[in-house]
């Protein structure tokens, strides 16, 4: 019996990583295929691969977004809460907080795959900052 794994497919190439020996190799796959047996080119073990064609990266899940600063920095942040009047609470990484990368008054933008209408367009202004927590508001 071979092992079973889930393998991501990007541009019709499956990103195979052998569960037995960790060897990596990409294989082309047809668009309509859902699973495929792969024989590892290194250790020869056979793995049953279920193909995952999700287009958004798994690590950028709901609640996370990429914050873009005016200085061109890209920082992954957690969207903590979204209030009705347009104020939003976000958490930035501790390193960014210590470096005071973003301070009140700064203009920022977002790249947010799970809610592009909310955060994907327009600029926001940092209203306040308290450690890793920033309060921001959409600029009209
Ligand atoms: Zn292998």
């Amino acid at each position: 019996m071979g092992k079973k794994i889930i393998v991501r497919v990007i541009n019709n190439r499956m990103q195979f990583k052998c569960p037995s020996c960790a060897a990596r190799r990409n294989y082309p796959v047809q668009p309509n295929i859902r699973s495929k047996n792969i024989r590892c080119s290194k250790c020869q073990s056979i793995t049953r691969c279920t193909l995952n064609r999700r287009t958004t990266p798994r690590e950028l899940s709901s609640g996370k977004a990429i914050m873009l600063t005016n200085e061109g920095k890209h920082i992954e942040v957690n969207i903590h809460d979204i209030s009705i009047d347009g104020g939003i609470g976000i958490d930035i990484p501790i390193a960014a907080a210590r470096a005071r990368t973003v301070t009140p008054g700064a203009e920022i933008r977002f790249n947010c795959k799970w809610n592009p209408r909310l955060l994907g367009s327009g600029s926001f202004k940092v209203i306040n900052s308290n450690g890793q927590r920033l309060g921001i508001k959409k600029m009209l």
Side-chain angles (χ1 to χ4, degrees):
M1 266 302 279
K3 293 178 178 167
K4 292 181 182 176
I5 59 171
I6 295 171
V7 178
R8 274 192 79 195
V9 177
I10 301 171
N11 295 329
N12 288 322
R13 295 186 71 85
M14 56 185 285
Q15 319 285 305
F16 177 73
K17 181 184 175 187
C18 176
S20 299
C21 74
R24 289 171 186 273
R25 190 160 178 177
N26 294 352
Y27 296 92
V29 287
Q30 298 296 317
N32 55 343
I33 305 265
R34 292 208 178 143
S35 63
K36 197 174 166 86
N37 289 329
I38 294 291
R39 181 189 290 275
C40 176
S41 59
K42 194 174 169 192
C43 73
Q44 307 300 315
S45 66
I46 294 173
T47 304
R48 182 78 176 159
C49 299
T50 300
L51 305 183
N52 172 14
R53 289 188 167 80
R54 285 163 52 117
T55 50
T56 53
R58 183 178 294 273
E59 56 273 18
L60 204 62
S61 59
S62 173
K64 296 208 169 183
I66 304 295
M67 180 173 77
L68 315 170
T69 72
N70 267 350
E71 292 74 36
K73 290 196 170 118
H74 292 200
I75 300 165
E76 189 176 293
V77 300
N78 280 307
I79 309 300
H80 187 78
D81 50 49
I82 298 169
S83 71
I84 300 162
D85 66 353
I88 300 173
I90 65 175
D91 286 334
I92 61 175
I94 187 81
R98 287 205 178 116
R100 294 188 63 74
T101 306
V102 183
T103 52
E107 272 180 49
I108 52 175
R109 301 173 78 85
F110 288 96
N111 182 346
C112 179
K113 293 214 162 59
W114 52 273
N115 195 339
R117 268 201 299 179
L118 175 72
L119 293 172
S121 64
S123 295
F124 294 78
K125 187 164 241 168
V126 178
I127 304 301
N128 52 57
S129 82
N130 182 6
Q132 290 178 258
R133 174 65 55 87
L134 296 182
I136 64 168
K137 206 155 192 179
K138 187 150 194 165
M139 296 174 72
L140 300 173

